[in-house]
Amino acid sequence: MPRPTRQQIDEEILDAAAALFARHGVEHTSVQRVADATGYSKTGLLHRFPTKEALAGAALAMTLDHVRRLAGGVAASPPGPARDRAVVAALADLALARPGFTALALSSVSGGAQEQARQLEELAAVLFEAFAAPPDTGPERAVRLTTCLGGLATAALACREHQPAHVVRPLLVAAAVGALGHPADAPTGAPSGA
């Protein structure tokens, strides 16, 4: 089995840290707690991320990067149900593959440091852009998008530990597409490999 790359190691660390930050908050999560959760030494983590705040910032930045790539992947598609389905399928893949990032994005909506708030606003803007929803989108579309995103994230986190991803994924996609007002039985696309 090949050794993981630095990027793969960093992503695993950041996903685990994101889950802890989501659960306990940045101020109540020690670097040692992250080290214990990841199996790396505290010194090793501090070599990669010099402070807890740098670790938290990197976790949020990695989440934002994933969503930007997702949005870029559908940017050329015309707005409508097919694009919405593609975004939902990619988000389901990301939520199932990287639950820490999902938990951090979901929990951080309730507050956080100013820098985190700025990044979360950017995250929301990129997500709405992925769905081809302008900033001044109407209330019905905004509520449907918010319900779709919140429901998908919450359900993915809740179901992930109890069911295999290949069982949960099509159900997540169908429910999220339904929240957008599209027929849930429409094709959901293949996993994006997030």
Side-chain angles (χ1 to χ4, degrees):
M1 180 174 201
R3 292 180 64 174
T5 66
R6 179 177 174 86
Q7 180 180 350
Q8 290 169 326
I9 292 169
D10 284 353
E11 192 157 329
E12 287 177 24
I13 290 168
L14 293 173
D15 188 55
L20 291 169
F21 293 142
R23 188 174 301 124
H24 306 290
V26 174
E27 60 232 19
H28 298 294
T29 302
S30 67
V31 174
Q32 185 61 57
R33 182 179 253 175
V34 176
D36 292 344
T38 61
Y40 292 96
S41 70
K42 180 178 176 180
T43 304
L45 285 181
L46 290 172
H47 179 71
R48 290 178 175 308
F49 307 98
T51 65
K52 177 172 63 170
E53 290 72 21
L55 185 61
L60 198 48
M62 179 77 69
T63 303
L64 186 54
D65 182 58
H66 277 291
V67 174
R68 279 190 190 120
R69 282 187 279 157
L70 182 152
V74 297
S77 300
R83 178 175 173 152
D84 286 355
R85 277 187 211 81
V87 173
V88 165
L91 285 170
D93 292 339
L94 178 60
L96 292 168
R98 294 292 177 208
F101 295 156
T102 303
L104 182 62
L106 191 60
S107 72
S108 297
V109 171
S110 63
Q114 183 141 354
E115 179 61 19
Q116 286 180 317
R118 185 195 62 73
Q119 287 178 311
L120 287 168
E121 285 177 15
E122 188 175 351
L123 179 65
V126 172
L127 282 168
F128 270 54
E129 179 185 314
F131 283 102
D136 62 345
T137 195
E140 181 180 352
R141 178 76 167 158
V143 167
R144 286 185 178 279
L145 283 171
T146 304
T147 302
C148 165
L149 294 168
L152 178 90
T154 303
L157 291 171
C159 295
R160 185 176 184 280
E161 294 181 23
H162 306 291
Q163 296 290 328
H166 73 277
V167 171
V168 172
R169 182 189 184 274
L171 300 171
L172 289 173
V173 173
V177 166
L180 293 173
H182 304 310
D185 59 349
T188 58
S192 70

